[in-house]
Amino acid sequence: APFQCSQHPNGKWTILQYESQLCWESGDHLIMLLLGVVALSIPVGFLSMVYRLLAVFPKRMIQGDVRFLNTFSFLFVRVKPETRWFIL
Protein backbone atom coordinates (compact mmCIF):
# COMPACT_ATOMS: atom_id res chain seq x y z
CA ALA A 1 0.00 0.00 0.00
CA PRO A 2 2.88 2.52 0.31
CA PHE A 3 2.80 3.16 -3.45
CA GLN A 4 -0.93 3.97 -3.62
CA CYS A 5 -1.60 7.54 -2.58
CA SER A 6 -4.72 9.60 -3.20
CA GLN A 7 -5.04 13.37 -3.26
CA HIS A 8 -7.54 15.18 -1.11
CA PRO A 9 -9.24 18.52 -1.86
CA ASN A 10 -6.89 20.28 0.57
CA GLY A 11 -3.93 19.27 -1.63
CA LYS A 12 -2.46 16.68 0.73
CA TRP A 13 -1.81 13.09 -0.27
CA THR A 14 -2.65 10.15 1.97
CA ILE A 15 -2.09 6.43 1.63
CA LEU A 16 -5.17 4.86 0.07
CA GLN A 17 -5.67 2.16 2.72
CA TYR A 18 -4.41 4.19 5.69
CA GLU A 19 -5.85 7.67 5.40
CA SER A 20 -4.23 8.86 8.61
CA GLN A 21 -0.76 8.46 7.03
CA LEU A 22 0.40 11.32 4.83
CA CYS A 23 2.40 10.45 1.74
CA TRP A 24 5.91 11.88 1.50
CA GLU A 25 5.47 13.89 4.72
CA SER A 26 5.85 11.35 7.52
CA GLY A 27 8.64 9.02 8.51
CA ASP A 28 6.22 6.08 8.57
CA HIS A 29 5.53 6.44 4.86
CA LEU A 30 9.23 6.49 4.06
CA ILE A 31 9.79 3.31 6.08
CA MET A 32 6.88 1.57 4.34
CA LEU A 33 8.19 2.73 0.97
CA LEU A 34 11.69 1.40 1.65
CA LEU A 35 10.32 -1.94 2.87
CA GLY A 36 8.15 -2.13 -0.24
CA VAL A 37 11.15 -1.53 -2.50
CA VAL A 38 13.16 -4.21 -0.69
CA ALA A 39 10.26 -6.65 -0.89
CA LEU A 40 9.88 -6.02 -4.63
CA SER A 41 13.60 -6.39 -5.29
CA ILE A 42 13.58 -10.03 -4.14
CA PRO A 43 11.30 -11.43 -6.90
CA VAL A 44 12.76 -9.05 -9.49
CA GLY A 45 16.26 -10.22 -8.58
CA PHE A 46 15.21 -13.87 -8.83
CA LEU A 47 13.62 -13.33 -12.26
CA SER A 48 16.76 -11.51 -13.42
CA MET A 49 18.89 -14.45 -12.31
CA VAL A 50 16.60 -16.93 -14.11
CA TYR A 51 16.75 -14.81 -17.28
CA ARG A 52 20.56 -14.79 -17.15
CA LEU A 53 20.68 -18.54 -16.56
CA LEU A 54 18.39 -19.14 -19.52
CA ALA A 55 20.60 -16.96 -21.70
CA VAL A 56 23.82 -18.85 -20.85
CA PHE A 57 22.21 -22.31 -20.83
CA PRO A 58 23.06 -23.25 -24.47
CA LYS A 59 26.71 -22.18 -24.11
CA ARG A 60 27.12 -24.12 -20.87
CA MET A 61 25.58 -27.25 -22.37
CA ILE A 62 27.90 -27.05 -25.41
CA GLN A 63 30.82 -26.82 -22.96
CA GLY A 64 29.47 -29.86 -21.09
CA ASP A 65 29.24 -28.01 -17.78
CA VAL A 66 27.72 -30.73 -15.59
CA ARG A 67 28.10 -28.67 -12.41
CA PHE A 68 25.96 -25.89 -13.93
CA LEU A 69 23.27 -28.41 -14.87
CA ASN A 70 23.32 -30.05 -11.43
CA THR A 71 23.21 -26.72 -9.63
CA PHE A 72 20.27 -25.33 -11.59
CA SER A 73 18.51 -28.59 -12.41
CA PHE A 74 15.33 -27.32 -10.74
CA LEU A 75 14.95 -25.02 -13.77
CA PHE A 76 16.12 -27.20 -16.65
CA VAL A 77 15.34 -30.86 -15.93
CA ARG A 78 11.63 -30.78 -16.75
CA VAL A 79 11.78 -28.87 -20.04
CA LYS A 80 13.25 -29.43 -23.48
CA PRO A 81 16.20 -27.13 -24.27
CA GLU A 82 14.35 -25.46 -27.14
CA THR A 83 11.40 -24.56 -24.89
CA ARG A 84 13.46 -23.17 -22.00
CA TRP A 85 12.13 -19.59 -22.45
CA PHE A 86 8.70 -20.74 -21.34
CA ILE A 87 10.15 -21.06 -17.82
CA LEU A 88 9.75 -17.29 -17.47
Side-chain angles (χ1 to χ4, degrees), residues 8 16 20-21 33 48 54 58 71 75:
H8 293 277
L16 195 58
S20 64
Q21 293 293 321
L33 188 64
S48 299
L54 290 172
T71 303
L75 287 173

Side-chain angles (χ1 to χ4, degrees), residues 48-60 68 76 84-85 88:
S48 299
M49 183 190 75
V50 169
Y51 181 78
R52 183 187 163 280
L53 292 172
L54 290 172
V56 300
F57 177 76
K59 180 179 141 186
R60 294 289 183 100
F68 176 83
F76 303 121
R84 68 186 185 280
W85 290 106
L88 289 177

Side-chain angles (χ1 to χ4, degrees), residues 53-77:
L53 292 172
L54 290 172
V56 300
F57 177 76
K59 180 179 141 186
R60 294 289 183 100
M61 290 302 100
I62 289 171
Q63 294 173 350
D65 192 350
V66 177
R67 184 174 180 198
F68 176 83
L69 187 58
N70 287 334
T71 303
F72 301 109
S73 63
F74 69 96
L75 287 173
F76 303 121
V77 169

Side-chain angles (χ1 to χ4, degrees), residues 1 6 8-10 23 26 41 46 48-49 52 58 72 77 86-87:
S6 62
H8 293 277
N10 65 2
C23 293
S26 67
S41 68
F46 178 75
S48 299
M49 183 190 75
R52 183 187 163 280
F72 301 109
V77 169
F86 290 106
I87 292 173

Side-chain angles (χ1 to χ4, degrees), residues 29-43:
H29 181 252
L30 181 62
I31 291 170
M32 286 193 308
L33 188 64
L34 291 175
L35 287 174
V37 167
V38 168
L40 282 175
S41 68
I42 293 168

